Amino acid sequence: MDAETLSSDQNTTIMAQAQPAVPEKAPGQQAISSDSEHRPLLKVDRTGGITGARHILIPVDDNKDSELALDWAIENLYRPGDIFHLLHVIPEPKMVHIWAGIYIPPDEDAELVEIEDTKEFVKHRFLQKLVAAKVPFQLHVILGPTDSENVAKVITKKVEDLSAETVVMGKHSKGRIKEFWLGSVTKELIKRVKIPVAVVPWKQE
């Protein structure tokens, strides 16, 4: 695994153009329908082709809490042959308010910008740790609502898709997607999944 880049290659699938974005409805307008509340934007595969004895799911954001969760998982859970799956949810785009009563769809390039930002913080916060510990991993980037119930839904769906053994989450978040990490997400997730959910507390300096 290359610790220097997450650039697009044969192991990176960008799905930003798979279907049009579903922007948040403007006031007084009907919501634009969608076949699914969440949709994949990006998948990066750094498993080297192994199938994996166990699949460990770690929802991540651009904050220290996610780093601590990954550190804990590497130290306490990882066994040779396991695959770690980093899951990041990007908020669905909002309608842009031009002036009173006038709204337009968001910039069509906004998703690609989000993808590049995600690859950058994954490289900065997680990639070197994973490479140093020789942990095979995949990165999954999903677009959709980031309220507690919907985040729990997308984590649950990924648990089912992967047949994951465990979910590891940071306890608190100071990132820009705060809903992703509130205690209500963990509570909702525990109701939905039948596997262990490890919640890693923040370490006081």
Side-chain angles (χ1 to χ4, degrees):
M1 287 184 289
D2 185 354
E4 298 300 324
T5 182
L6 279 174
S7 60
S8 298
D9 56 22
Q10 67 273 19
N11 296 316
T12 301
T13 304
I14 297 178
M15 294 170 276
Q17 306 303 322
Q19 64 185 71
V22 181
E24 182 180 280
K25 66 177 180 179
Q29 293 183 340
Q30 295 294 320
I32 300 175
S33 62
S34 171
D35 293 336
S36 175
E37 291 180 321
H38 294 88
R39 63 183 178 89
L41 288 184
L42 173 73
K43 180 178 178 180
V44 177
D45 189 337
R46 292 292 184 271
T47 62
I50 69 170
T51 57
R54 299 187 305 169
H55 297 272
I56 311 299
L57 180 60
I58 309 174
V60 298
D61 198 4
D62 187 9
N63 56 37
K64 185 66 176 178
D65 311 285
S66 296
E67 287 190 60
L68 292 173
L70 179 65
D71 290 343
W72 185 90
I74 290 173
E75 182 177 350
N76 295 282
L77 285 181
Y78 178 69
R79 300 196 303 241
D82 291 349
I83 295 177
F84 280 15
H85 296 266
L86 308 186
L87 173 65
H88 180 60
V89 180
I90 293 174
E92 58 187 346
K94 297 180 179 180
M95 298 291 282
V96 180
H97 187 198
I98 302 300
W99 57 77
I102 304 297
Y103 293 81
I104 62 173
D107 186 344
E108 62 183 9
D109 294 328
E111 291 176 8
L112 295 178
V113 172
E114 289 280 7
I115 287 173
E116 292 305 315
D117 288 347
T118 298
K119 289 196 290 186
E120 187 62 29
F121 85 69
V122 167
K123 180 178 75 173
H124 172 69
R125 291 190 179 275
F126 309 117
L127 186 59
Q128 289 186 353
K129 297 174 185 285
L130 291 163
V131 171
K134 298 182 179 180
V135 178
F137 75 95
Q138 291 183 349
L139 169 66
H140 309 268
V141 180
I142 308 293
L143 177 91
T146 53
D147 59 278
S148 298
E149 182 177 359
N150 275 295
V151 168
K153 284 181 181 180
V154 77
I155 296 174
T156 301
K157 179 64 164 57
K158 188 59 67 175
V159 165
E160 295 170 351
D161 290 346
L162 299 171
S163 297
E165 295 273 345
T166 307
V167 179
V168 182
M169 301 177 65
K171 185 175 182 180
H172 297 293
S173 175
K174 299 177 182 178
R176 59 194 176 92
I177 310 178
K178 294 182 180 179
E179 296 90 342
F180 199 97
W181 308 100
L182 295 175
S184 55
V185 173
T186 303
K187 293 176 184 177
E188 185 69 29
L189 183 63
I190 291 171
K191 295 177 186 177
R192 293 171 176 271
V193 300
K194 298 179 180 180
I195 63 172
V197 178
V199 182
V200 180
W202 172 262
K203 291 182 179 180
Q204 297 293 334
E205 299 296 338

